[in-house]
Amino acid sequence: VDTIYSNDQLKSIILRYFNPIGAHPSAHIGELPNGVPNNLIPFVTQTAAGIREQLKVFGSDYNTPDGTCIRDYINVVDLAKGHVKAIDYILSHNCFEIINLGTGTPYSVTEIVSTFEKVNGIKVNHVYGPRRAGDLAELYANADKAAEILGWRAEKNLEDMCRDSWNWQKNNPNGY
């Protein structure tokens, strides 16, 4: 940060984003983590596809409406559009900005699983286990600055994210 402030020719935007999920609607671009997924949606899609036996939900006793963690999930297509808006902005402004890219709408793990099942007409074998160390009950973005400065807002909803994720998994069972 000191470098940015000490050089008026240097421009910078730091984008902070919250739980990217989904895939491109064409099913040509999606997420295939190496090994066991660390993110929720690949675990959901791989469980639905039979690659994984079950999804283990970490914690059902948080102080949230259904007891599971709440997060802000953003569609990868919206995220890409946010990056383009940031580049457009930085090309025409002398700036140093830190901007959240998120929906501002929190969803619980249980809501993700139930929405995925409803939208795609498929059950996800899941069980509730103990909490993971360090998990917070709620974590989501305030994306007002992105709207104000970049003219950007997330457009995709949770149903889109779940549908596109499953569409990618079905069409790419072994990855690319």
Side-chain angles (χ1 to χ4, degrees):
V1 174
D2 290 337
T3 301
I4 293 166
Y5 285 122
S6 68
N7 183 343
D8 63 356
Q9 300 299 308
L10 193 58
K11 307 175 196 184
S12 180
I13 292 182
I14 296 171
L15 299 176
R16 298 188 310 181
Y17 31 96
F18 296 70
N19 299 295
I21 66 172
H24 191 272
S26 68
H28 293 300
I29 301 172
E31 183 175 7
L32 178 64
N34 292 326
V36 177
N38 287 320
N39 300 331
L40 177 61
I41 287 295
F43 225 112
V44 169
T45 60
Q46 290 181 13
T47 302
I51 297 168
R52 308 255 168 233
E53 185 178 326
Q54 68 182 194
L55 165 69
K56 185 175 186 179
V57 177
F58 297 108
S60 60
D61 61 347
Y62 287 94
N63 187 20
T64 61
D66 65 22
T68 61
C69 290
I70 291 175
R71 299 289 184 262
D72 188 334
Y73 297 91
I74 180 172
N75 187 284
V76 293
V77 173
D78 284 333
L79 190 58
K81 289 178 180 180
H83 279 82
V84 171
K85 289 283 193 173
I87 291 168
D88 289 345
Y89 184 83
I90 205 169
L91 290 175
S92 60
H93 294 83
N94 255 350
C95 63
F96 170 68
E97 299 287 348
I98 301 171
I99 299 175
N100 293 338
L101 295 183
T103 65
T105 303
Y107 295 103
S108 73
V109 174
T110 297
E111 286 177 292
I112 296 289
V113 173
S114 64
T115 300
F116 182 90
E117 290 177 335
K118 183 183 83 174
V119 166
N120 296 305
I122 189 167
K123 289 291 183 193
V124 176
N125 182 21
H126 62 286
V127 296
Y128 294 91
R131 293 180 179 195
R132 271 190 315 200
D135 271 351
L136 300 173
E138 298 183 39
L139 184 61
Y140 51 96
N142 177 337
D144 292 345
K145 189 173 180 181
E148 178 186 323
I149 291 178
L150 303 179
W152 175 91
R153 284 205 185 276
E155 298 170 358
K156 302 283 188 173
N157 61 34
L158 183 56
E159 290 81 8
D160 296 329
M161 293 184 244
C162 289
R163 182 177 25 263
D164 293 344
S165 295
W166 180 234
N167 190 33
W168 186 86
Q169 181 69 58
K170 285 188 312 185
N171 286 290
N172 300 278
N174 300 312
Y176 295 104

PDB file of all heavy atoms in Angstrom, residues 144-157:
ATOM      1  N   ASP A 144     -21.874  -2.577  -2.007  1.00  0.00           N
ATOM      2  CA  ASP A 144     -22.350  -1.245  -2.400  1.00  0.00           C
ATOM      3  C   ASP A 144     -21.264  -0.424  -3.096  1.00  0.00           C
ATOM      4  O   ASP A 144     -21.534   0.313  -4.036  1.00  0.00           O
ATOM      5  CB  ASP A 144     -22.864  -0.472  -1.186  1.00  0.00           C
ATOM      6  CG  ASP A 144     -24.138  -1.060  -0.599  1.00  0.00           C
ATOM      7  OD1 ASP A 144     -24.787  -1.897  -1.285  1.00  0.00           O
ATOM      8  OD2 ASP A 144     -24.491  -0.697   0.544  1.00  0.00           O
ATOM      9  N   LYS A 145     -20.024  -0.550  -2.646  1.00  0.00           N
ATOM     10  CA  LYS A 145     -18.928   0.207  -3.254  1.00  0.00           C
ATOM     11  C   LYS A 145     -18.706  -0.224  -4.699  1.00  0.00           C
ATOM     12  O   LYS A 145     -18.414   0.607  -5.565  1.00  0.00           O
ATOM     13  CB  LYS A 145     -17.659   0.030  -2.427  1.00  0.00           C
ATOM     14  CG  LYS A 145     -16.517   0.926  -2.845  1.00  0.00           C
ATOM     15  CD  LYS A 145     -15.351   0.803  -1.870  1.00  0.00           C
ATOM     16  CE  LYS A 145     -14.197   1.692  -2.251  1.00  0.00           C
ATOM     17  NZ  LYS A 145     -13.067   1.549  -1.301  1.00  0.00           N
ATOM     18  N   ALA A 146     -18.861  -1.518  -4.987  1.00  0.00           N
ATOM     19  CA  ALA A 146     -18.719  -2.005  -6.367  1.00  0.00           C
ATOM     20  C   ALA A 146     -19.797  -1.386  -7.261  1.00  0.00           C
ATOM     21  O   ALA A 146     -19.529  -1.017  -8.403  1.00  0.00           O
ATOM     22  CB  ALA A 146     -18.793  -3.524  -6.403  1.00  0.00           C
ATOM     23  N   ALA A 147     -20.998  -1.266  -6.731  1.00  0.00           N
ATOM     24  CA  ALA A 147     -22.083  -0.651  -7.510  1.00  0.00           C
ATOM     25  C   ALA A 147     -21.811   0.835  -7.730  1.00  0.00           C
ATOM     26  O   ALA A 147     -21.970   1.346  -8.839  1.00  0.00           O
ATOM     27  CB  ALA A 147     -23.413  -0.853  -6.794  1.00  0.00           C
ATOM     28  N   GLU A 148     -21.366   1.499  -6.681  1.00  0.00           N
ATOM     29  CA  GLU A 148     -21.142   2.944  -6.738  1.00  0.00           C
ATOM     30  C   GLU A 148     -19.960   3.311  -7.637  1.00  0.00           C
ATOM     31  O   GLU A 148     -20.063   4.170  -8.499  1.00  0.00           O
ATOM     32  CB  GLU A 148     -20.895   3.465  -5.325  1.00  0.00           C
ATOM     33  CG  GLU A 148     -20.598   4.936  -5.249  1.00  0.00           C
ATOM     34  CD  GLU A 148     -20.230   5.349  -3.832  1.00  0.00           C
ATOM     35  OE1 GLU A 148     -20.814   4.811  -2.874  1.00  0.00           O
ATOM     36  OE2 GLU A 148     -19.335   6.209  -3.696  1.00  0.00           O
ATOM     37  N   ILE A 149     -18.832   2.651  -7.442  1.00  0.00           N
ATOM     38  CA  ILE A 149     -17.608   3.022  -8.152  1.00  0.00           C
ATOM     39  C   ILE A 149     -17.503   2.359  -9.520  1.00  0.00           C
ATOM     40  O   ILE A 149     -17.144   3.005 -10.504  1.00  0.00           O
ATOM     41  CB  ILE A 149     -16.371   2.688  -7.295  1.00  0.00           C
ATOM     42  CG1 ILE A 149     -16.341   3.630  -6.087  1.00  0.00           C
ATOM     43  CG2 ILE A 149     -15.087   2.795  -8.097  1.00  0.00           C
ATOM     44  CD1 ILE A 149     -15.208   3.370  -5.137  1.00  0.00           C
ATOM     45  N   LEU A 150     -17.804   1.070  -9.572  1.00  0.00           N
ATOM     46  CA  LEU A 150     -17.627   0.326 -10.828  1.00  0.00           C
ATOM     47  C   LEU A 150     -18.901   0.238 -11.662  1.00  0.00           C
ATOM     48  O   LEU A 150     -18.844  -0.148 -12.831  1.00  0.00           O
ATOM     49  CB  LEU A 150     -17.151  -1.101 -10.523  1.00  0.00           C
ATOM     50  CG  LEU A 150     -15.862  -1.255  -9.722  1.00  0.00           C
ATOM     51  CD1 LEU A 150     -15.553  -2.729  -9.500  1.00  0.00           C
ATOM     52  CD2 LEU A 150     -14.700  -0.541 -10.400  1.00  0.00           C
ATOM     53  N   GLY A 151     -20.034   0.525 -11.072  1.00  0.00           N
ATOM     54  CA  GLY A 151     -21.300   0.323 -11.783  1.00  0.00           C
ATOM     55  C   GLY A 151     -21.597  -1.156 -11.959  1.00  0.00           C
ATOM     56  O   GLY A 151     -22.221  -1.567 -12.924  1.00  0.00           O
ATOM     57  N   TRP A 152     -21.157  -1.958 -11.000  1.00  0.00           N
ATOM     58  CA  TRP A 152     -21.287  -3.415 -11.093  1.00  0.00           C
ATOM     59  C   TRP A 152     -22.178  -3.946  -9.991  1.00  0.00           C
ATOM     60  O   TRP A 152     -22.080  -3.534  -8.836  1.00  0.00           O
ATOM     61  CB  TRP A 152     -19.919  -4.064 -10.971  1.00  0.00           C
ATOM     62  CG  TRP A 152     -19.959  -5.563 -10.925  1.00  0.00           C
ATOM     63  CD1 TRP A 152     -19.882  -6.416 -11.984  1.00  0.00           C
ATOM     64  CD2 TRP A 152     -20.105  -6.386  -9.761  1.00  0.00           C
ATOM     65  NE1 TRP A 152     -19.973  -7.720 -11.547  1.00  0.00           N
ATOM     66  CE2 TRP A 152     -20.114  -7.719 -10.182  1.00  0.00           C
ATOM     67  CE3 TRP A 152     -20.243  -6.118  -8.409  1.00  0.00           C
ATOM     68  CZ2 TRP A 152     -20.236  -8.787  -9.306  1.00  0.00           C
ATOM     69  CZ3 TRP A 152     -20.373  -7.177  -7.527  1.00  0.00           C
ATOM     70  CH2 TRP A 152     -20.368  -8.498  -7.988  1.00  0.00           C
ATOM     71  N   ARG A 153     -23.024  -4.861 -10.356  1.00  0.00           N
ATOM     72  CA  ARG A 153     -23.814  -5.643  -9.400  1.00  0.00           C
ATOM     73  C   ARG A 153     -23.897  -7.066  -9.927  1.00  0.00           C
ATOM     74  O   ARG A 153     -23.963  -7.284 -11.136  1.00  0.00           O
ATOM     75  CB  ARG A 153     -25.234  -5.107  -9.262  1.00  0.00           C
ATOM     76  CG  ARG A 153     -25.343  -3.851  -8.443  1.00  0.00           C
ATOM     77  CD  ARG A 153     -26.738  -3.711  -7.841  1.00  0.00           C
ATOM     78  NE  ARG A 153     -26.881  -2.447  -7.162  1.00  0.00           N
ATOM     79  CZ  ARG A 153     -26.490  -2.216  -5.918  1.00  0.00           C
ATOM     80  NH1 ARG A 153     -25.921  -3.168  -5.231  1.00  0.00           N
ATOM     81  NH2 ARG A 153     -26.659  -1.038  -5.358  1.00  0.00           N
ATOM     82  N   ALA A 154     -23.908  -8.013  -9.005  1.00  0.00           N
ATOM     83  CA  ALA A 154     -24.105  -9.413  -9.401  1.00  0.00           C
ATOM     84  C   ALA A 154     -25.487  -9.551 -10.033  1.00  0.00           C
ATOM     85  O   ALA A 154     -26.451  -8.957  -9.560  1.00  0.00           O
ATOM     86  CB  ALA A 154     -23.973 -10.317  -8.185  1.00  0.00           C
ATOM     87  N   GLU A 155     -25.568 -10.321 -11.103  1.00  0.00           N
ATOM     88  CA  GLU A 155     -26.832 -10.510 -11.814  1.00  0.00           C
ATOM     89  C   GLU A 155     -27.412 -11.908 -11.630  1.00  0.00           C
ATOM     90  O   GLU A 155     -28.615 -12.100 -11.698  1.00  0.00           O
ATOM     91  CB  GLU A 155     -26.614 -10.256 -13.315  1.00  0.00           C
ATOM     92  CG  GLU A 155     -26.172  -8.845 -13.624  1.00  0.00           C
ATOM     93  CD  GLU A 155     -25.733  -8.664 -15.071  1.00  0.00           C
ATOM     94  OE1 GLU A 155     -25.736  -9.650 -15.844  1.00  0.00           O
ATOM     95  OE2 GLU A 155     -25.368  -7.537 -15.433  1.00  0.00           O
ATOM     96  N   LYS A 156     -26.561 -12.889 -11.429  1.00  0.00           N
ATOM     97  CA  LYS A 156     -27.013 -14.279 -11.320  1.00  0.00           C
ATOM     98  C   LYS A 156     -27.569 -14.544  -9.928  1.00  0.00           C
ATOM     99  O   LYS A 156     -27.093 -13.989  -8.941  1.00  0.00           O
ATOM    100  CB  LYS A 156     -25.859 -15.245 -11.593  1.00  0.00           C
ATOM    101  CG  LYS A 156     -25.205 -15.083 -12.955  1.00  0.00           C
ATOM    102  CD  LYS A 156     -26.053 -15.685 -14.020  1.00  0.00           C
ATOM    103  CE  LYS A 156     -25.300 -15.700 -15.345  1.00  0.00           C
ATOM    104  NZ  LYS A 156     -26.035 -16.433 -16.349  1.00  0.00           N
ATOM    105  N   ASN A 157     -28.567 -15.423  -9.869  1.00  0.00           N
ATOM    106  CA  ASN A 157     -29.123 -15.790  -8.570  1.00  0.00           C
ATOM    107  C   ASN A 157     -28.666 -17.201  -8.189  1.00  0.00           C
ATOM    108  O   ASN A 157     -27.976 -17.872  -8.955  1.00  0.00           O
ATOM    109  CB  ASN A 157     -30.650 -15.656  -8.570  1.00  0.00           C
ATOM    110  CG  ASN A 157     -31.315 -16.561  -9.575  1.00  0.00           C
ATOM    111  OD1 ASN A 157     -30.865 -17.673  -9.848  1.00  0.00           O
ATOM    112  ND2 ASN A 157     -32.420 -16.107 -10.148  1.00  0.00           N
TER     113      ASN A 157
END
